[in-house]
Amino acid sequence: MPDFHTPFDGSSKPFTIGLKPLDPAEWIEVDDQLRAYLDENDRVSQRAPGQVFAAEPDSLDAQREMLDMLAVHLPTRFPDIYRATGTAIDIIPAFRRVDLLSPLPPLLGAASLVQEDLVIMVKGQDAWRLSAASLCFPSSWRLSEKFGRPLHEVHASVPEFGEGTRHAGMIERIFDNLRPEQPVIRWNWSIHDDDALFHPPIGRPYDFAEGAFLRLERQTLRKLPKTGAILFTIRIHLNPLEVLAKHPLELAAVLAGQLAAMNPAQLAYKGLTEQRDHLLAQLVSL
């Protein structure tokens, strides 16, 4: 079973930058759901290719550098799962082969190797911008609305992260100063009323009558040493909210405390304005 991560235990506070150093060996996360995630990636890509992939022409070198890094990292870190076979990578438990010299965009090859969504950020004249992405598992956002945009516009809907805010300036400086040998990690969480990996904005209030699902995002940032672009990875973990009742720590109470402390703008961003009291009652009962 995949690890059950608990960033809401107090170790990661909501609506903060919250970046921490990451051991490069733990850059990519692989578990026994690898085949299921890759299959779903294929399904979403075939159903809605225009919604989940976009790339600027000048991102090609960064795409290639990222794929080359993964082609070295994955067989080294997970030799029982990934095997290099000349110009291809075999994924043993998923019965797949990824051609490293495919004429398709390298980003698509990279995305077919891992459970993470992959986003490439490049530095423009005055800001970092979203230059390429394979985003099959979005958490209530659309790639088309953020593609090609500078960071402060990508984060415009996040309370206290838009243009001119202290957080926006800090993120730009962090991106500028990130070192290739030291990736970083942060976490985000949300609560949805379904367990769909592909989760663009639903256009309606959440309805938790049939259950609630805790959606965790394991996010990493890594600067590519040759091109200087930054790779942003997003790995989604989904669990029914009831899983908190089985944990030895009082996680339900801690999560309830974070939910109760959110201001109206933060609640609105997470889509929980109308359902906070219902969720608090549910968490207290666990």
Side-chain angles (χ1 to χ4, degrees):
M1 292 295 291
D3 292 336
F4 179 54
H5 299 290
T6 59
F8 46 85
D9 60 4
S11 58
S12 296
K13 295 182 179 180
F15 297 99
T16 62
I17 296 174
L19 290 169
K20 299 177 181 179
L22 175 66
D23 181 348
E26 304 306 316
W27 174 33
I28 300 297
E29 189 178 62
V30 178
D31 59 36
D32 62 2
Q33 293 190 32
L34 174 63
R35 186 173 183 179
Y37 274 62
L38 295 182
D39 287 347
E40 181 64 4
N41 185 310
D42 286 348
R43 188 186 72 81
V44 172
S45 296
Q46 292 167 9
R47 188 184 72 184
Q51 296 183 45
V52 301
F53 177 79
E56 295 178 334
D58 62 0
S59 71
L60 190 59
D61 288 344
Q63 292 184 49
R64 170 54 58 184
E65 183 179 11
M66 173 193 59
L67 178 57
D68 290 345
M69 289 175 65
L70 285 173
V72 172
H73 174 81
L74 293 173
T76 302
R77 177 64 179 84
F78 306 103
D80 295 334
I81 298 175
Y82 298 93
R83 295 182 188 171
T85 56
T87 60
I89 299 290
D90 286 342
I91 310 176
I92 307 305
F95 304 103
R96 291 167 174 260
R97 171 166 288 186
V98 177
D99 180 6
L100 300 177
L101 301 181
S102 168
L104 295 174
L107 177 55
L108 290 177
S112 65
L113 286 169
V114 296
Q115 291 164 262
E116 284 87 350
D117 278 337
L118 305 172
V119 178
I120 292 176
M121 310 293 298
V122 301
K123 183 66 180 286
Q125 291 184 346
D126 56 0
W128 290 86
R129 72 176 187 276
L130 199 165
S131 182
S134 173
L135 187 81
C136 288
F137 309 140
S139 296
S140 300
W141 62 285
R142 291 187 177 90
L143 178 58
S144 61
E145 297 174 352
K146 300 181 185 293
F147 176 62
R149 303 284 187 175
L151 267 175
H152 63 263
E153 291 186 15
V154 170
H155 294 142
S157 62
V158 184
E160 300 179 15
F161 277 76
E163 184 175 10
T165 64
R166 176 173 173 270
H167 282 144
M170 289 178 63
I171 292 173
E172 287 283 343
R173 291 191 293 275
I174 288 169
F175 274 45
D176 288 341
N177 296 324
L178 194 63
R179 293 177 288 115
E181 68 274 13
Q182 183 57 78
V184 292
I185 186 172
R186 73 180 299 273
W187 292 87
N188 193 19
W189 63 263
S190 54
I191 302 175
H192 291 181
D193 58 4
D194 63 43
D195 60 352
L197 282 169
F198 178 65
H199 202 289
I202 59 175
R204 59 167 176 79
Y206 288 126
D207 179 2
F208 297 112
E210 300 299 322
F213 295 85
L214 187 60
R215 186 181 182 98
L216 304 180
E217 298 174 54
R218 180 186 186 266
Q219 304 175 353
T220 76
L221 292 169
R222 185 165 194 175
K223 183 165 283 188
L224 307 183
K226 295 179 181 178
T227 61
I230 288 178
L231 176 63
F232 176 44
T233 75
I234 312 165
R235 168 65 200 281
I236 301 298
H237 290 268
L238 288 163
N239 285 283
L241 201 62
E242 289 78 9
V243 74
L244 299 179
K246 303 176 182 178
H247 201 279
L249 301 178
E250 295 296 325
L251 292 178
V254 177
L255 181 58
Q258 292 189 10
L259 188 58
M262 287 183 183
N263 62 41
Q266 293 169 342
L267 284 172
Y269 174 75
K270 289 189 176 289
L272 299 177
T273 301
E274 299 178 16
Q275 293 284 2
R276 174 166 65 175
D277 290 346
H278 172 83
L279 286 172
L280 288 174
Q282 187 173 348
L283 287 166
V284 169
S285 69
L286 294 178

